[in-house]
């Protein structure tokens, strides 16, 4: 018997005359799974103290794990997009900061006295 570890939905059985026969799942409603998914499902079932021979239980665990991965992928994608938006928004912030060439006036300068002032009209 041989199989592709990327797709356990089909295994290949060697016939008596050397020919290879493709054998599919008995229940074709089950999705294709990888060897890594199958091993992970068995490890989870072992941790839970459950039977490893229950086909429906193995596929239920695989579907559960796929849902967890999909949810994490969506959260990761959203976090990455949020981070990218924030970085783009903050990218030009430094260009708008005021730069004081001489923040402290010299002692000889009176900033208010040297100011030309504003013209003010009186209201009656």
């Amino acid at each position: 018997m041989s199989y592709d570890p990327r797709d356990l939905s089909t295994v290949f059985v060697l016939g008596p005359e050397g020919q290879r026969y493709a054998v599919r799942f008995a229940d074709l409603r089950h999705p294709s799974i990888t060897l890594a998914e199958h091993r992970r499902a068995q490890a989870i079932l072992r941790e839970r103290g459950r039977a490893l021979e229950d086909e429906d239980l193995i596929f239920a665990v695989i579907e559960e794990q796929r849902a967890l991965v999909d949810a994490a992928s969506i959260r990761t994608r959203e976090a990455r997009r949020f981070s990218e938006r924030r970085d783009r928004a903050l990218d030009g912030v430094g260009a708008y900061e005021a730069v004081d060439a001489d923040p402290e006036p010299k002692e000889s300068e009176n900033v208010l006295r040297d100011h030309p002032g504003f013209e003010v009209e009186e209201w009656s």
Side-chain angles (χ1 to χ4, degrees), residues 6-66:
R6 298 170 296 179
D7 182 8
L8 295 183
S9 65
T10 305
V11 294
F12 300 94
V13 178
L14 195 58
E17 296 166 6
Q19 65 273 34
R20 292 176 52 174
Y21 296 101
V23 180
R24 301 261 314 144
F25 288 148
D27 187 353
L28 296 177
R29 293 176 294 170
H30 291 308
S32 295
I33 62 172
T34 66
L35 181 59
E37 286 177 317
H38 185 262
R39 287 181 177 164
R40 179 71 182 139
Q42 285 180 321
I44 290 170
L45 290 173
R46 210 174 290 117
E47 288 172 7
R48 295 178 184 173
R50 303 295 300 265
L52 300 178
E53 294 83 25
D54 187 354
E55 178 182 331
D56 291 328
L57 192 56
I58 290 173
F59 280 99
V61 169
I62 289 171
E63 289 297 322
E64 176 185 304
Q65 292 300 306
R66 285 180 178 180

Side-chain angles (χ1 to χ4, degrees), residues 56-121:
D56 291 328
L57 192 56
I58 290 173
F59 280 99
V61 169
I62 289 171
E63 289 297 322
E64 176 185 304
Q65 292 300 306
R66 285 180 178 180
L68 287 173
V69 168
D70 290 344
S73 173
I74 289 170
R75 285 192 305 270
T76 301
R77 189 177 315 126
E78 288 172 355
R80 185 186 71 246
R81 287 180 181 164
F82 176 78
S83 175
E84 289 171 356
R85 280 194 300 266
R86 182 194 62 217
D87 291 346
R88 275 195 309 272
L90 296 177
D91 199 23
V93 170
Y96 302 112
E97 291 179 6
V99 177
D100 291 334
D102 194 10
E104 295 292 323
K106 297 176 185 168
E107 287 184 28
S108 63
E109 294 179 357
N110 185 339
V111 177
L112 296 177
R113 185 179 46 197
D114 295 338
H115 191 275
F118 297 101
E119 200 173 300
V120 179
E121 294 181 19

